[in-house]
Amino acid sequence: MLGLEKRVDAMRDMQGISGTESQSPAKSTATMGIMLALVAIVVAVGVYFAVDGKYAGKLSASETRLAAMEAKVAEAVNAPKEMARKAIAANNLDEMALKVNQLKGQLEAAQQEKLAKIEELVKGLQADIAK
């Protein structure tokens, strides 16, 4: 192969042609355009990763805040239900306490002891609901 290259170089020297071919203006412009496009792609990828890294932390923080807000909203939605349940239970216990007081004088001694236990249970439940 080197022999062939030497012959070609010798023939060019005899004809006065230089060993390197110069690029035409169109080929030079095309090469420059490809290089600029590659540089632009590399810069765009770098900017993408920089922006992605910057906003990934902010996005996770906002997702955390959103989850906390959703939990508070769910608690606020359920709060009236719990308050209503407590109010209903308190009303029922008040009615039971009233009936126990009404029955105290009408029952015999053995039944009044059982009634006293029921009255203590009702008062305990009322105290638990009041908390």
Side-chain angles (χ1 to χ4, degrees):
M1 197 71 173
L2 288 175
L4 182 61
E5 289 176 1
K6 286 181 183 179
R7 286 184 198 159
V8 170
D9 285 342
M11 288 165 67
R12 285 185 178 162
D13 287 340
M14 283 194 276
Q15 293 178 0
I17 302 172
S18 64
T20 60
E21 296 179 16
S22 64
Q23 291 184 346
S24 67
K27 189 173 182 182
S28 176
T29 305
T31 305
M32 184 64 82
I34 290 173
M35 290 198 155
L36 286 175
L38 290 175
V39 169
I41 289 171
V42 169
V43 169
V45 168
V47 168
Y48 171 77
F49 284 118
V51 170
D52 185 45
K54 180 179 178 181
Y55 289 110
K58 290 182 180 181
L59 182 62
S60 65
S62 66
E63 287 175 355
T64 304
R65 280 187 261 140
L66 182 63
M69 187 183 308
E70 286 176 352
K72 286 182 182 178
V73 167
E75 182 180 326
V77 167
N78 292 333
K81 292 177 186 176
E82 291 298 320
M83 289 175 24
R85 287 181 188 154
K86 283 185 177 181
I88 291 170
N91 287 340
N92 287 340
L93 288 173
D94 288 341
E95 289 176 12
M96 290 174 71
L98 183 63
K99 287 179 184 177
V100 166
N101 286 333
Q102 290 174 352
L103 291 174
K104 274 185 183 178
Q106 298 174 2
L107 299 176
E108 298 175 5
Q111 293 174 341
Q112 284 187 1
E113 290 176 10
K114 292 179 183 178
L115 196 60
K117 288 181 184 178
I118 293 173
E119 186 178 18
E120 288 176 22
L121 288 174
V122 169
K123 286 182 182 180
L125 290 173
Q126 284 177 332
D128 287 343
I129 289 179
K131 289 180 183 178

